[in-house]
Amino acid sequence: VIAGFFIVTIGGMLAYTIAQMNRSGEESLSLPKMEMPVINWSLFGSPSFTLFFLSVNVVLGLVLLDKIIASQRKHLAN
């Protein structure tokens, strides 16, 4: 039943996609022209960003260390 649901859902999306296609053949297949936004890299070099980045990494490292130690204690207790 679950597999049937997914097959029907994917088939429906495929049928909808094919129905929405422009079949006139007048247009050539080309990628749309997109311009990448300009990134202001000076924001990433500021001391505030560096301190924030390091603080987040320290907190994540401590969380990981806590999980490792808790896992070892649990494993040794059994």
Side-chain angles (χ1 to χ4, degrees), residues 4-16:
F5 170 76
F6 283 114
I7 290 172
V8 168
T9 302
I10 292 170
M13 288 190 300
L14 184 62
Y16 176 76

Side-chain angles (χ1 to χ4, degrees), residues 6 16 22-24 54 69:
F6 283 114
Y16 176 76
N22 183 6
R23 294 188 197 97
S24 65
L54 289 175
I69 292 173

Side-chain angles (χ1 to χ4, degrees), residues 33-45:
K33 292 186 169 82
M34 295 177 53
E35 293 184 20
M36 296 297 291
V38 177
I39 298 173
N40 186 3
W41 291 104
S42 65
L43 296 175
F44 298 110

Side-chain angles (χ1 to χ4, degrees), residues 6-66:
F6 283 114
I7 290 172
V8 168
T9 302
I10 292 170
M13 288 190 300
L14 184 62
Y16 176 76
T17 302
I18 291 172
Q20 296 298 318
M21 288 175 58
N22 183 6
R23 294 188 197 97
S24 65
E26 296 172 3
E27 298 178 21
S28 64
L29 296 176
S30 62
L31 295 175
K33 292 186 169 82
M34 295 177 53
E35 293 184 20
M36 296 297 291
V38 177
I39 298 173
N40 186 3
W41 291 104
S42 65
L43 296 175
F44 298 110
S46 68
S48 299
F49 178 78
T50 305
L51 183 60
F52 171 75
F53 183 75
L54 289 175
S55 301
V56 168
N57 282 328
V58 166
V59 170
L60 289 175
L62 290 173
V63 168
L64 178 64
L65 181 65
D66 181 55

